[in-house]
Amino acid sequence: MPEATAAVDLPVAMLAELTHRCPMRCAYCSNPLALDDPQAELTTAEWKDVLEQAAALGVMQVHFSGGEPTARQDLAELVAHAAGLGLYTNLITSGVLLDAGKVRALAAAGLEHVQLAFQDSDAAGVDVVGGWSGALAKKRAVAGLVKEAGLALTANLVITRHNAARVGAMLDMALDLGCERAEVANVQYYGWGLLNRAALMPSKAQLAAMTPVVRERQERYRGRMVIDYVIPDYHARRPKACMGGWARRFLNVTPTGKVLPCHAAETIPHLPVETVRQRPLRDIWLHGAAFEAYRGEAWMPAGCRSCDRKEIDWGGCRCQALALAGDAAAMDPACELSPHHAAMAETAEQEAQAGGTRFVYRAFGPHKHSTF
Amino acid sequence: MLVSRTVVTPQSVPALAPHVTLRHDGVRDRWVVLGPERMLVPDEIAVEILKLCDGERSVAAVVARLAAEFDAAEADIAGDVTDLLQSLADKGFVRA
């Protein structure tokens, strides 16, 4: 075995972004502003090959995502291929394109788990943030279909300042729909989410009010529904271990085959991105310049390299460092030791208090402003 | 939905939750527990316990089997086995 294989951890999970097409237009979407061209998407055969390469590389879990992965007509075929390779299969979906037949076909193909996004427990709230009228009723129906098919179900509860006051109602809804798990997903401000941050960011007071509500539901629903809750970066003291560390556990393949260390990595413009059409997945993981750029600790600023948490948070998020500190190799400003930490929290609070209403729905092509 | 919390007792009959699987990771030669968007790498003892959680044996029977296999007193390991399974039940990996 080559020497590098022993030195470099191999990936355990792959996010397979099958398409950037999506009927919803969520203002918080973390996809890049330049969405992958539908005409250039990987073919069914190419995706099957990627799945085979991923399994051989050590990937155990695949997350079919997008865009909206159910917009691909070959989704069930790809799920079956992944399951046949021994991969654990998750579907990350808005749900709005699913019906009873499609859910049954996915279950028959070996799908294990569906993560369904909910933008609110209030129908009008979902319509506004998601830009798709009637989505909540559709999602509730799809949750029922997923349970009928016997699949595991997670509710991804997307938190903005418009729904933060309803986090309890959203968790109650998730339990009522039969979810075994709910994620209180404070928006991660990348891509469209970063563009629209001022129109979405909750205040510190709103977040503080959420915490006891979430803790109470965690206690009340213990053993019935697992509730994952992460303090959002903009108000954290220490950064998240983004992706479990750059190029340590996780890889992302975009609709056109770009291989990335995280789904937001294209926001780092100088990152040399390679595709599965150019080079085997294994080579890209082990030797690709994008993967080597921030792997381990050699790239770290001195303050991270000497920190006793460097193998806990791995320096946090590179995309956030670039977006907020102007340097992808800087300390993540979510860390209280970063010189940009105070400014990050202040910006968030100013935006929350200003209550900006202008935003841009996610779309292919030119940006068009909307208002809440 | 689950109407109540799973409480693990010696009489409980534990099994991995639906859509949770114990799988051998051939690339790294280790056992992993895979569930919805989650993965655990159990230690060797936990692997032995989970392999016995087949939805037929009781916790008491799992303890008896492990005690015989590892030449330990049942009373010494019963608490650890119950605690592990309760913890995994609360995290959604085990049903009983």
Side-chain angles (χ1 to χ4, degrees):
Chain A
M1 219 175 245
E3 197 180 326
T5 311
V8 173
D9 287 317
L10 297 171
V12 292
M14 177 170 75
L15 186 70
E17 292 182 339
L18 297 183
T19 178
H20 277 162
R21 289 172 284 142
C22 184
M24 294 199 62
R25 302 183 291 147
C26 299
Y28 61 82
C29 183
S30 64
N31 281 158
L33 299 179
L35 296 165
D36 277 9
D37 178 3
Q39 301 301 318
E41 285 175 9
L42 297 184
T43 64
T44 305
E46 286 176 311
W47 271 115
K48 286 183 177 176
D49 179 54
V50 168
L51 291 164
E52 288 164 21
Q53 292 189 57
L57 187 53
V59 166
M60 306 293 291
Q61 291 232 4
V62 60
H63 310 276
F64 290 106
S65 181
E68 177 47 58
T70 61
R72 287 274 302 214
Q73 299 306 307
D74 56 0
L75 176 61
E77 187 178 348
L78 295 176
V79 167
H81 197 72
L85 293 163
L87 294 165
Y88 189 97
T89 53
N90 303 276
L91 175 65
I92 300 174
T93 181
S94 71
V96 299
L97 298 180
L98 287 169
D99 59 29
K102 287 178 181 169
V103 172
R104 276 198 299 269
L106 289 167
L111 184 68
E112 304 273 6
H113 168 238
V114 175
Q115 186 211 89
L116 199 51
F118 288 92
Q119 292 77 9
D120 210 319
S121 54
D122 171 73
V126 177
D127 288 352
V128 171
V129 174
W132 201 85
S133 184
L136 181 59
K138 178 77 192 177
K139 287 163 178 286
R140 294 183 67 110
V142 166
L145 297 174
V146 169
K147 294 317 295 177
E148 266 173 47
L151 300 176
L153 178 62
T154 294
N156 183 285
L157 308 175
V158 183
I159 304 296
T160 68
R161 72 164 167 266
H162 304 281
N163 62 16
R166 286 186 289 281
V167 69
M170 292 170 79
L171 286 164
D172 298 345
M173 175 181 74
L175 184 83
D176 185 49
L177 291 172
C179 297
E180 296 86 9
R181 179 166 159 260
E183 278 182 46
V184 178
N186 285 288
V187 167
Q188 309 250 2
Y189 293 96
Y190 304 110
W192 298 86
L194 184 59
L195 181 70
N196 292 319
R197 191 180 64 189
L200 301 170
M201 180 66 80
S203 70
K204 197 166 182 179
Q206 280 187 304
L207 292 167
M210 268 173 49
T211 301
V213 176
V214 174
R215 298 282 179 239
E216 189 275 331
R217 293 305 194 284
Q218 282 174 324
E219 197 51 44
R220 198 196 314 174
Y221 298 152
R222 182 179 304 284
R224 302 168 67 192
M225 182 175 79
V226 175
I227 300 174
D228 290 337
Y229 178 51
V230 178
I231 301 296
D233 287 329
Y234 283 70
H235 298 283
R237 290 181 53 226
R238 296 292 191 167
K240 61 181 178 286
C242 198
M243 302 296 134
W246 185 275
R248 268 190 80 241
R249 303 173 54 80
F250 179 92
L251 61 84
N252 178 34
V253 180
T254 78
T256 56
K258 287 176 271 192
V259 186
L260 304 171
C262 88
H263 62 281
E266 283 183 271
T267 61
I268 303 174
H270 61 263
L271 209 64
V273 173
E274 296 174 279
T275 82
V276 293
R277 284 171 171 153
Q278 298 167 319
R279 198 176 181 188
L281 201 60
R282 183 183 198 86
D283 281 0
I284 297 177
W285 175 269
L286 290 175
H287 309 297
F291 284 77
E292 287 183 332
Y294 306 110
R295 178 182 271 141
E297 60 180 81
W299 63 273
M300 285 183 182
C304 289
R305 215 177 307 144
S306 61
C307 179
D308 61 7
R309 292 179 58 86
K310 72 181 171 190
E311 292 192 350
I312 297 172
D313 60 40
W314 301 95
C317 171
R318 298 304 89 228
C319 304
Q320 194 151 268
L322 177 69
L324 303 178
D327 176 5
M331 194 180 283
D332 184 341
C335 182
E336 63 183 352
L337 301 175
S338 162
H340 301 276
H341 182 69
M344 178 182 191
E346 274 164 31
T347 301
E349 191 62 14
Q350 279 164 11
E351 288 179 350
Q353 297 302 337
T357 56
R358 270 167 68 82
F359 69 99
V360 177
Y361 279 124
R362 174 197 191 279
F364 288 92
H367 294 175
K368 269 175 36 194
H369 278 275
S370 299
T371 53
F372 278 109
Chain B
M1 88 180 104
L2 284 174
V3 291
S4 61
R5 178 187 181 202
T6 295
V7 177
V8 178
T9 69
Q11 290 74 45
S12 304
V13 178
L16 289 173
H19 301 290
V20 174
T21 59
L22 182 65
R23 199 165 284 172
H24 189 256
D25 173 354
V27 169
R28 299 167 188 85
D29 191 21
R30 64 181 183 183
W31 288 90
V32 295
V33 178
L34 297 173
E37 297 179 272
R38 293 191 294 175
M39 189 179 97
L40 287 181
V41 185
D43 63 26
E44 283 174 41
I45 303 291
V47 170
E48 295 308 316
I49 294 170
L50 289 172
K51 282 181 179 171
L52 295 173
C53 294
D54 57 3
E56 292 178 12
R57 280 188 192 85
S58 66
V59 172
V62 170
V63 169
R65 174 81 179 261
L66 288 169
E69 201 166 322
F70 293 95
D71 201 18
E74 289 186 26
D76 289 345
I77 61 170
D80 288 347
V81 172
T82 306
D83 289 351
L84 175 84
L85 293 174
Q86 183 66 60
S87 157
L88 290 174
D90 284 345
K91 290 175 185 146
F93 288 106
V94 165
R95 296 266 176 93

